Amino acid sequence: MGTRSRLTLTCCLAGLLTLGTVTTASAETQKGYASYYHDKFQGRTTASGAPFDQNQLTAAHRHLPFGTEVVVKRPDTGQEVRVVINDRGPFVKGRIIDLSKRAAQKLGLLNRGVAPVMVTQIN
């Protein structure tokens, strides 16, 4: 392999590694809005197959694998809660996570309904 080929290959590899790093970093923390499940979903089957329990610290996310733990933080109040992803959603523009009622209570969302949050994956 010639010097020019090695240099080209090295540059391409470095570019791919850099691209991968950027993608991973942006996937770890997301900014958007959180909402919470209505009481009517209590006991219904989630996308993971588990029954929904509004008294557990769980949440729905569009893409994160089931069982992933995340910290949801309200930047406006500093309140945060740790939840486990066990369902898919939300499917409303701008919203990035749907929380169980217990998780929403810990974030002070019950009266407000929707609030800006940062979601950080921890496992």
Side-chain angles (χ1 to χ4, degrees), residues 13-36:
L13 183 57
L16 288 173
L17 290 173
T18 302
L19 180 63
T21 302
V22 171
T23 302
T24 302
S26 65
E28 289 179 7
T29 299
Q30 296 178 320
K31 292 180 183 180
Y33 287 87
S35 54
Y36 68 97

Side-chain angles (χ1 to χ4, degrees), residues 32-104:
Y33 287 87
S35 54
Y36 68 97
Y37 286 87
H38 189 277
D39 291 339
K40 72 180 181 181
F41 293 105
Q42 177 65 23
R44 292 192 185 175
T45 303
T46 63
S48 68
F52 174 67
D53 184 352
Q54 65 186 358
N55 297 310
Q56 298 297 314
L57 294 174
T58 58
H61 190 276
R62 287 187 205 130
H63 307 292
L64 290 174
F66 298 136
T68 301
E69 291 182 73
V70 298
V71 172
V72 183
K73 181 176 181 175
R74 283 187 57 182
D76 58 335
T77 65
Q79 294 170 291
E80 62 181 49
V81 65
R82 188 175 183 159
V83 297
V84 176
I85 304 301
N86 74 339
D87 203 5
R88 291 289 170 239
F91 300 105
V92 176
K93 187 177 181 178
R95 295 189 192 171
I96 59 171
I97 197 162
D98 266 338
L99 302 166
S100 65
K101 195 169 189 177
R102 182 170 174 211

